[in-house]
Amino acid sequence: MTSARKTLWIGLLLTAFALWPLLHYVIVQRYFVSPWRLFGWAMYCVPVYQPTVRFFALEQEERLEIPAPRQQPDAARAYARFVRHRAELGTLVGPEELGRILFAAYPQFDTLIVQVEQPVYHYDSDRIRQAFFEHRLERAE
Amino acid sequence: MTRNSQTSGPQDGPTADGAAPGQPGLQDRLVAFFGRLLTLAGDQVSEARRLRILRLYLMIHAPFELLWDCLIWETERAHQGLLFASGLVACLALSFIGERTQLAVRLFVGFQLATILWLFPAVSNHFFLVFSCLLLLSLLDLRRPDDALMGLQACRWLALIVLFYSGLQKVLYGTYFQGQLLAWTIAHDGRFQAAFGHIVPADEMARLQGLANTAGPFVAEWWPLIAISNFTYLFELAAPILLLYPRTRSAAVGATFVFLLLIETGAREYFFGCVFVNLLFLFARRNWYPMLLPATFLIYAWRLWPRLDRVWEWF
């Protein structure tokens, strides 16, 4: 590789490193991604909290809370992975994989709701507020 | 008399990126621009020699950190992690054989990328910083003085980008103006309670600790704490400029080193601290690595010691 080509590659890589944190900021704001992750150099910028996940079955439009699938090892792993990834990647992570396991564990229900309760730092009041996200899952035919 | 506008013989056609003949193309202009930008970070070939030491350190750091993580993971994940660490160590060993250093560094970077994909999204930022440095260095042959200089400049720029954005992100998130993040951290984190317990008055400390597991508001009331909070991002924004300017460079290295030491008394992010301090000393006029590296590895040994018991559980 020529010296000019090396300069070009190094310059382009450094430009990418320099621009990524700005894009990272936008992604964090939009998708509730943890600022500590994904190399945006935003460690120690906001408090870190784990989300809480609850499950509901929908029966004739009535919500019935069902326990988290922790009995079988596969289900427990999928549940733990979802909670972990949700804390790190925010709403970029959906509960589809977990949904398949839930539908297998609860064959009597066709509609399930996964509710994620995420503590979020509220900039205006400097307080921690709960943000709720809901995913409605329908059993595939 | 007629004038023939046609000329015979070879002509300059448009360049590959569409520039007029005789004019520098986009690629040439980019190369010139990046060249000037890199030169801002220093132009002393004599300073570039220490880059090989830094590269060796980073190639030791990456598998060590992975091994350190393996020691707290459950067995199956730890075994997978050890495979990646073994690949990294094999590349490190290859780098000592004859003329294969550059190939070894490129393979090492490939293994690091595979490790990052395997760990994703739980990849620490400093692991990515080590990867980024080695990725830049993998493009260069550090035996050649001009390549070594370019590597030095690139790694210095990388350190500046990280330092600058650490400050800018604090401003963008807005949690340092009233000491909000510091208040939350002191309320919840024993490391910060220990570090700030010596300087924060007892009543303010008790108030902040009382905020633990509440909804807040998380705001510091003791003004020196607010001043410390604001100083943090101001320093992180100013230090890169002082490190770039040759006249203030040496003083800025010292000041940034002290700043990092103070941060580590609370944060205790030792791996990030060690990696960054080693990068920072690329800016120093003197070669500090003969002192810096033994100190770094002493810290690593101290970190590793309490986890060594776990090794026996693997067998």
Side-chain angles (χ1 to χ4, degrees):
Chain A
M1 202 170 1
T2 63
S3 185
R5 188 52 66 90
K6 285 175 187 172
T7 307
L8 184 67
W9 273 109
I10 298 260
L12 289 174
L13 282 171
L14 284 173
T15 305
F17 290 134
L19 292 178
W20 168 249
L22 294 174
L23 186 60
H24 179 272
Y25 178 78
V26 175
I27 292 171
V28 167
Q29 299 304 311
R30 188 159 181 178
Y31 299 106
F32 295 88
V33 171
S34 168
W36 292 66
R37 293 292 183 210
L38 306 189
F39 331 121
W41 317 114
M43 305 82 77
Y44 294 98
C45 281
V46 291
V48 184
Y49 283 106
Q50 286 292 314
T52 311
V53 184
R54 296 165 75 191
F55 304 97
F56 299 91
L58 215 56
E59 206 173 33
Q60 293 161 349
E61 295 308 308
E62 285 287 314
R63 281 187 179 210
L64 177 68
E65 185 162 3
I66 54 178
R70 291 179 186 166
Q71 284 75 28
Q72 280 126 11
D74 278 358
R77 256 200 298 273
Y79 173 74
R81 191 164 47 238
F82 175 70
V83 174
R84 202 173 59 238
H85 284 186
R86 186 76 194 207
E88 287 161 344
L89 297 178
T91 53
L92 291 173
V93 177
E96 289 74 20
E97 184 199 356
L98 197 57
R100 277 193 294 277
I101 289 167
L102 281 169
F103 280 123
Y106 298 101
Q108 67 272 38
F109 300 121
D110 290 329
T111 306
L112 296 172
I113 290 169
V114 178
Q115 186 189 73
V116 181
E117 187 180 342
Q118 173 77 55
V120 175
Y121 187 83
H122 198 259
Y123 296 99
D124 295 336
S125 63
D126 297 316
R127 289 175 179 274
I128 305 298
R129 299 252 171 97
Q130 304 301 323
F132 291 91
F133 304 89
E134 288 200 344
H135 302 269
R136 188 185 168 111
L137 303 170
E138 303 287 345
R139 186 184 291 281
E141 292 301 322
Chain B
M1 198 166 84
T2 58
R3 188 181 286 176
N4 190 351
S5 62
Q6 273 191 327
T7 55
S8 59
Q11 293 183 36
D12 287 338
T15 58
D17 50 5
Q23 295 286 314
L26 175 65
Q27 190 171 315
D28 296 332
R29 276 181 283 171
L30 274 176
V31 169
F33 172 72
F34 288 143
R36 280 198 298 275
L37 213 59
L38 285 168
T39 309
L40 286 177
D43 54 6
Q44 298 291 314
V45 177
S46 58
E47 291 175 2
R49 291 188 187 141
R50 70 190 77 156
L51 203 60
R52 286 158 82 163
I53 303 175
L54 179 84
R55 186 178 64 185
L56 177 63
Y57 158 66
L58 295 176
M59 289 177 77
I60 295 171
H61 170 91
F64 179 86
E65 189 185 346
L66 197 53
L67 175 71
W68 193 76
D69 282 336
C70 287
L71 291 171
I72 54 162
W73 287 339
E74 35 101 6
T75 309
E76 188 187 343
R77 188 169 164 79
H79 284 164
Q80 291 168 355
L82 282 176
L83 277 179
F84 284 101
S86 306
L88 292 172
V89 170
C91 295
L92 174 64
L94 182 67
S95 72
F96 289 105
I97 300 172
E99 299 288 300
R100 302 219 168 90
T101 307
Q102 207 174 357
L103 171 71
V105 175
R106 286 178 180 173
L107 284 172
F108 192 95
V109 168
F111 264 103
Q112 270 188 303
L113 183 61
T115 310
I116 286 171
L117 293 174
W118 175 65
L119 289 170
F120 190 85
V123 188
S124 62
N125 288 324
H126 53 271
F127 198 84
F128 182 75
L129 178 60
V130 172
F131 165 75
S132 306
C133 275
L134 288 171
L135 175 65
L136 291 169
L137 296 180
S138 71
L139 300 172
L140 304 164
D141 180 356
L142 298 190
R143 291 168 302 180
R144 295 176 49 182
D146 52 341
D147 274 22
L149 181 59
M150 201 189 295
L152 174 86
Q153 293 163 336
C155 288
R156 281 179 172 179
W157 268 109
L158 203 54
L160 295 177
I161 289 169
V162 172
L163 192 57
F164 178 77
Y165 271 111
S166 298
L168 184 65
Q169 295 280 35
K170 289 179 178 74
V171 174
L172 290 175
Y173 285 88
T175 51
Y176 277 69
F177 302 128
Q178 293 295 318
Q180 298 98 316
L181 201 275
L182 214 47
W184 184 89
T185 316
I186 291 173
H188 291 88
D189 194 329
R191 298 172 303 175
F192 281 83
Q193 287 164 13
F196 282 96
H198 303 294
I199 56 166
V200 177
D203 54 342
E204 172 74 339
M205 202 67 191
R207 188 186 70 80
L208 292 174
Q209 285 179 296
L211 291 173
N213 302 317
T214 70
F218 296 98
V219 177
E221 287 181 357
W222 188 53
W223 74 263
L225 204 55
I226 299 173
I228 290 170
S229 180
N230 281 280
F231 174 77
T232 307
Y233 66 80
L234 287 173
F235 185 86
E236 286 170 338
L237 289 172
I241 299 161
L242 300 174
L243 284 165
L244 269 182
Y245 192 53
R247 283 192 180 181
T248 53
R249 191 170 286 160
S250 294
V253 170
T256 310
F257 178 61
V258 173
F259 175 78
L260 288 169
L261 283 183
L262 289 173
I263 283 189
E264 291 309 323
T265 58
R268 300 186 199 175
E269 303 268 4
Y270 296 109
F271 284 139
F272 184 82
C274 287
V275 168
F276 202 84
V277 163
N278 276 281
L279 268 179
L280 174 71
F281 274 85
L282 282 181
F283 287 92
R285 204 172 292 152
R286 254 184 67 189
N287 181 6
W288 287 89
Y289 287 102
M291 274 157 56
L292 205 56
L293 281 185
T296 302
F297 290 126
L298 264 179
I299 292 172
Y300 285 14
W302 168 64
R303 297 283 283 154
L304 184 66
W305 184 253
R307 290 191 180 184
L308 272 181
D309 282 353
R310 179 74 205 280
V311 174
W312 307 117
E313 293 172 27
W314 290 344
F315 301 104

